[in-house]
Structures are given as C-alpha cells and as structure tokens.
C-alpha cells in the first residue's frame, strides 16, 4: 500500500513543472559548488598553514568578525524604530524618507566609502567630528564599523519595515484596549511578531558588512594589524602575487559565512517561532 | 450604559454622520447594517481606536471622548478575534492582567465560565473557530470591563456553532449584566441575542428600536428590505375610505385599502408571513384586499415555504408547511390572496404638493 502524503495528486505535467523548477536550483547550487571546489583544488597545504599561523591574517579575521557584528547591532538599533515608524506613521514626506532609506541598497557600495571620505575630510562638519569631538573614522578602525553601516543598514531597515507591515494592526488595537500604551503594544505584540523579519534583515546586514571590500579600501585603507579585514587581506595578498594564500583566506571567509548563515537558520528557525 | 452623541467621523470618501445612540445599562444591543455601512468604524470610535471629528462618547456615566482605549473600561472582541499568535491560550487570556501588573490571576475562573479550561496550554494555531471566539471573549472579559464591544463575533463560524456561541454570549451577558454592543450584518444573529437593534447604512443611522418594530414598522424602504421584506409597493391614492380610517390606493390594476388618511403617492409594505393564501378561484367579495393570483414558484426553506405569487401584483408569501400542503400546490394553480389592512405598513407618502413640484421640475 502506498503511503499517504500531504500533497495533492499530481499528473505528469505537474511533475515536469516541479522538475523544471528544481533544475534551476540544482544548476545554481552546482555552479557555486564548482567555483568553491576550484578554489579548494588551487590552494596548497603551505597556503593553508600560512593563513592559520599569520598573526596579521588572524588579526584581520578577528577585526572582520567583531566589526561586522557591531555594525549589525548598530544597524538593528536603528532598523527597529525606523522600520516601525516608516510602517505605522504616515507623516508628510514619508515616501521620500522611504526612498532615501533604500538609496544605499541601490548605489554601488564604493560610493559609500567615497562619500564618507569626502564628508569627513572635506567638510567642516566632518572635520569638527573628527578633530574636535575626537571621533576619528578616516583610516581608523572605527571607520570599519561606520562604512559598512552606511552601506548595509538599509537592508535591516527595509526588512524591519516589511516585517512590521506584515503585523496586522488589529493585534495592536486589541492590545491598546487591554491596557497597553503604544509602547506596550509595540514591545509586547508587534516586536515579537516582527522578530523573524528583523533577524532576517540582521543576517543580510551582517553578510554585507562581513564581505565588504571596495568602500573600506577607500575610507579606511588596509593597514596591517590596524584596519585590515579579511576582504582587504585577500586583495593585498593577490596584489603581491600570493594567489594561493588569497584563495585560502577566501575559503576561510566562505566557511565562516556558511557556518553563520546556516547556524542562524537552524537554531533561529524553530526558536524564533517558539519564543 | 453607553451614550454616543452626534458622532461624526470621516475617512477617505466615507462619512459617519451625526450618529447618536444610547444603550441602557445591561442591554444587549445589536448594530446591524450591510458591509461598508460603518458599523465597525462606529465600534472602533467607541473603543477609542478611531478619533472622532465631533460628538461625545459616554461609557458608564463617564465622558471618555478624549480618553485612550486602555482607560475606557471596555472589553473588545474584533472581527476574526485577532488572538496573539505568538502566545498560548492562557497567555492570551492573561495578557491584559499582565499589562496591568495584577498578581491575582482569574484566568482559570474566566476559562471555566467559557468552558475552555482544557485549552489553556494550547497554542492559538490549530484552534477551531468556536474555540478562538471563546478565547477572544475570555481575553476581553478577564479584566471585568464595564461594557463589551463585539465586532462580528460569530460571522466566521458555521451555522450550528454560531447558534451555540450566540446562546452562550447572551448567557454570559445576562450573568455579568454587561452592556453589550454586538455588530453584525446577520439578522438571525440579531434575533438570537438582541434586546434592541439599530440599522446603519452608508454612515447614517436608519432606525433604532426593538427587532419587532424594525420588522413590522420600518421607517424606510431600506430598513424594510434589510429586514427581508420584498413585498414593497408604490401606489397612487384613489380616494379616502368613507370611514375616514383607511385610504383606497391603486397598485397596477388593483385597488387596495391601506391604513390611515393619505393623498398623492404612497409606498407601503406587507411582510411575506402576513400574506394569507388559500384555495379558491375567485375572492368572495366580502373581505377587503382580496384578489386572485397564480402560484408561480415555491421553495421549502426549512422552517417555512417561500411561495411566489403572480397576479395583478407580484407577491411573496411565507407559509407554514401545513398551510402550504392545504393548497395542493401545482404550477399556475389559482389561489386567493388576502393582504389584511392591519398588516399593511405605510413606508412613505409623497403628498399632492410634492408631486406637483416634481412634475414641474
């Protein structure tokens, strides 16, 4: 006897359609895997040892991890109130504000680095922040947080707005009649219901920040042991002819990204629904 | 007690115009109207979820017009219940208590009253429509509100569950003595629970009163049709009855007597269940408003038989099964129909002066 499944009875046309859709998935994943395998085959044992023992590369790894996490945290701090405000309050000019939020997603990341460099070095406000307030960003480690924030925070804000859009306002209305203030209905109802979308935005922001290269080269440079991160190390290594080492670092970057993104999905997936 | 005085509200092209209503303490009031008539908006105005443009709202002798929803002392059950999907049944019911920081939890007591104690540990997902409705009601009642506002509370339920829940709603309302406003577009629902009802149409209050008054003495064609009266006729006054109590009017080729003294054009109605149909070819001539008609179509509607009659005027009658069996019905069979004067209700009158003005225009 055939086992029952929770899917409709399908004819051959449906099977062809499913197979065609799955074919695209297979082709894409196979292509990415082939690229990674090519890198693996190109890298030798010596390059791997170099990566694992070089204190500059390990420093760059550490810088990449903490700066990208800090960037994500700051982006989320902005994204949650901004996403809620853009979703719920239709103030004059909200369409323009919405469009400006999306700008960094559209323009090339390089522009973020260039714009920040011009702002902090060629405007009086930028110089005042750097010189009088003592918040130095240009060619400084702090810039490794600010630059990805400008380039990637929009992902978190956009995701948060979409997540709050998806929360039915009637939930908030009921919470208001049950004794909540607007803040109460936000943190007791809307925020928990929007959580998955907000975290998805955080993952996108982290991914963008972790792998950012162009704007960092312009805004903070790549000084060994100071402002160097994994993405800029790859560039430095390949520019001096160490292609194997560059690829070994790239593989390290890919591995960390894969572990992080899969891990969040596996751990967060069920936990987020239950919490 | 709830008193809404001259409430006005507008959103887009929709306007709620000068709506005034009063519900007595402990009354079960049903607000009826077709979809889009403004019932939900009015309820949300009472809740404070929509800020009114003008007017005053009083709940339990307190002016709450400027108060936030949380301080109005209301229990609100929205359409589709809006149960918090990230919380369990127990957490949903206890939500308001936790917000107010109450330590003494009467969640179990409220759950017992609604017969949902066994659901307390369950997640919201997977509950049936009736269970969700009871959980939403428990969530609203646990804070012991002064008034209960229900927005289409049973519309998503099947016929049998709907009747059960209506009975339970009325029982709880009576037990707690809560002033209740129940919004619905369903007449059966209103008949199951209402002490009084109002009909709203395009943001304007059409009529307020007992369901019997809405049914038998509607003030407009809209109310009559909403109360499912299809026997509505436009007629021209022919003469006053010598007695002076009735007026003879012409409807198509038929002369009928209607109650009261009128002139010009009149619109009147008779409810289908008040139309008398009996066997026979011709009227006996002794009874007023009697004429011959033919059986056109009929349909068994469960509790009664819906009979369509064709004659000088087309008419609809609701007959008991017994009375209908007595007709020995067959297609085009001739029957005698009587529209008793006492069952005729005049909806509107357009006097001679108004008619002259209309002709001139």
């Amino acid at each position: 006897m055939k086992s029952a499944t929770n899917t409709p009875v399908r004819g051959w046309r449906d099977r062809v359609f499913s197979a065609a859709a799955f074919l695209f998935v297979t082709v894409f994943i196979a292509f990415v895997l082939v690229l990674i395998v090519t890198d693996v085959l190109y890298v030798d044992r010596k390059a791997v040892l170099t990566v694992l023992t070089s204190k500059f590369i390990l420093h760059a790894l550490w810088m990449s991890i903490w700066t990208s996490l800090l960037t994500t945290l700051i982006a989320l701090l902005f994204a949650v109130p901004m996403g809620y405000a853009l979703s719920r309050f239709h103030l004059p000019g909200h369409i323009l504000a919405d469009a400006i939020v999306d700008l960094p997603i559209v323009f090339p990341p390089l522009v973020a680095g260039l714009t920040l460099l011009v702002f902090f070095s060629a405007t009086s406000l930028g110089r005042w922040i750097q010189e009088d307030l003592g918040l130095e960003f240009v060619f400084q480690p702090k810039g490794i947080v600010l630059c990805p924030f400008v380039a990637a925070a929009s992902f978190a804000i956009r995701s948060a707005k979409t997540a709050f859009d998806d929360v039915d306002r009637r939930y908030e209305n009921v919470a208001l009649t049950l004794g909540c203030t607007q803040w109460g209905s936000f943190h007791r109802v809307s925020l928990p219901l929007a959580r998955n979308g907000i975290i998805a935005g955080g993952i996108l922001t982290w991914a963008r920040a972790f792998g950012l290269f162009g704007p960092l080269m312009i805004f903070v440079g790549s000084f060994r042991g100071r402002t160097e991160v994994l993405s800029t190390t790859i560039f430095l290594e390949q520019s001096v002819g160490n292609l194997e080492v560059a690829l070994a670092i790239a593989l390290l970057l890919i591995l960390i990204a894969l572990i992080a993104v899969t891990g969040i999905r596996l751990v967060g997936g069920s936990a987020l629904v239950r919490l | 007690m709830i008193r809404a005085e001259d409430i006005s509200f507008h959103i887009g092209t929709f306007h709620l115009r000068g709506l005034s209503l009063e519900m007595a303490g402990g009354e079960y009031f049903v607000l009826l109207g077709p979809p889009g008539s403004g019932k939900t908006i009015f309820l949300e105005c009472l809740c404070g979820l929509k800020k009114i443009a003008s007017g005053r709202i009083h709940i339990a002798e307190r002016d709450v017009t400027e108060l936030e929803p949380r301080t109005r002392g209301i229990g609100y059950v929205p359409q589709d219940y809006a149960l918090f999907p990230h919380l369990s049944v127990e957490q949903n019911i206890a939500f308001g208590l936790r917000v107010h920081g109450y330590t003494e939890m009467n969640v179990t007591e409220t759950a017992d009253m609604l017969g949902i104690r066994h659901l307390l540990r369950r997640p919201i997902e997977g509950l049936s429509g009736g269970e969700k409705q009871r959980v939403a009601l428990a969530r609203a009642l646990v804070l012991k509100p002064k008034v209960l506002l229900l927005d289409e509370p049973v519309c998503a339920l099947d016929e049998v569950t709907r009747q059960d829940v209506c009975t339970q709603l009325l029982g709880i309302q009576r037990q707690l003595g809560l002033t209740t406003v129940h919004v619905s577009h369903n007449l059966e629902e209103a008949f199951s629970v209402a002490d009084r009802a109002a009909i709203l149409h395009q943001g304007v209050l059409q009529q307020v009163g007992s369901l019997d008054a809405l049914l038998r003495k509607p003030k407009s064609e809209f109310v009559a049709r909403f109360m499912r009266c299809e026997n509505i006729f436009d007629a021209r006054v022919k003469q006053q009855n010598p007695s002076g109590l009735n007026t003879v009017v012409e409807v198509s080729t038929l002369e009928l007597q209607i109650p009261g003294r009128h002139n010009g054009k009149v619109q009147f109605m008779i409810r289908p269940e008040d139309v008398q149909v009996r066997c026979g070819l011709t009227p006996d001539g002794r009874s007023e408003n009697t004429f011959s008609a033919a059986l056109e179509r009929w349909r068994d509607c469960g509790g009664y038989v819906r009979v369509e009659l064709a004659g000088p005027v087309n008419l609809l009658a609701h007959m008991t099964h017994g009375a209908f069996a007595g007709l020995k019905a067959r297609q085009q069979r001739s029957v005698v129909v009587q529209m008793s004067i006492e069952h005729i209700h005049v909806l509107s009158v357009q006097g001679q002066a108004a008619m002259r003005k209309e002709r001139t225009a």
Side-chain angles (χ1 to χ4, degrees), chain A:
Chain A
M1 196 171 74
K2 287 180 183 174
S3 61
T5 59
N6 195 23
T7 51
V9 178
R10 299 191 305 169
W12 67 269
R13 286 186 186 84
D14 304 320
R15 290 198 183 90
V16 169
F17 173 73
S18 307
F22 194 69
L23 186 68
F24 282 92
V25 178
T26 312
V27 167
F28 183 82
I29 289 174
F31 181 60
V32 173
L33 286 176
V34 164
L35 291 178
I36 294 171
V37 169
T38 311
D39 288 352
V40 172
L41 293 175
Y42 200 89
V43 172
D44 55 17
R45 187 183 151 85
K46 193 180 156 208
V48 174
L49 281 175
T50 307
V51 168
L52 295 176
T53 54
S54 163
K55 69 172 188 176
F56 291 116
I57 294 174
L58 291 178
H59 178 266
L61 169 66
W62 171 239
M63 287 292 277
S64 284
I65 291 172
W66 83 257
T67 54
S68 61
L69 286 176
L70 188 57
T71 301
T72 306
L73 189 69
I74 297 170
L76 287 175
L77 281 176
F78 275 79
V80 172
M82 280 183 73
Y84 188 75
L86 290 170
S87 170
R88 291 294 190 263
F89 310 130
H90 286 233
L91 300 168
H94 78 274
I95 293 174
L96 185 65
D98 217 16
I100 290 171
V101 165
D102 281 346
L103 270 183
I105 296 176
V106 182
F107 63 56
L110 208 63
V111 176
L114 210 55
T115 309
L116 283 169
L117 188 65
V118 169
F119 173 74
F120 283 107
S121 53
T123 66
S124 50
L125 178 62
R127 280 200 298 273
W128 176 74
I129 292 170
Q130 287 227 115
E131 291 160 16
D132 295 346
L133 287 183
L135 288 169
E136 292 185 40
F137 292 103
V138 180
F139 302 122
Q140 297 298 325
K142 286 192 192 82
I144 310 173
V145 176
L146 180 64
C147 190
F149 173 79
V150 173
S154 295
F155 290 102
I157 299 165
R158 176 60 42 207
S159 293
K161 182 190 180 292
T162 309
F164 284 120
D165 282 344
D166 289 343
V167 176
D168 195 328
R169 282 188 188 212
R170 288 177 313 130
Y171 294 130
E172 290 176 14
N173 284 346
V174 170
L176 293 177
T177 66
L178 290 169
C180 282
T181 56
Q182 199 159 12
W183 159 249
S185 76
F186 166 75
H187 84 87
R188 285 174 189 270
V189 177
S190 308
L191 191 59
L193 290 176
R195 185 182 44 219
N196 285 2
I198 293 167
I199 289 176
I203 294 170
L204 284 174
T205 307
W206 176 80
R208 177 88 178 230
F210 190 66
L212 203 68
F213 164 68
L216 283 177
M217 282 300 282
I218 292 173
F219 188 54
V220 294
S222 183
F223 299 105
R224 286 243 123 145
R226 205 153 66 93
T227 60
E228 191 181 8
V229 289
L230 277 188
S231 56
T232 52
T233 309
I234 295 169
F235 174 74
L236 286 182
E237 292 296 337
Q238 71 88 30
S239 62
V240 295
N242 291 337
L243 196 55
E244 290 87 354
V245 175
L247 280 173
I249 298 167
L251 285 172
L252 181 65
L253 201 88
I254 291 167
L255 185 69
I256 292 168
L258 190 68
I259 291 169
V261 174
T262 314
I264 287 168
R265 274 180 172 77
L266 288 177
V267 177
S270 56
L272 294 178
V273 174
R274 202 169 50 244
L275 280 171

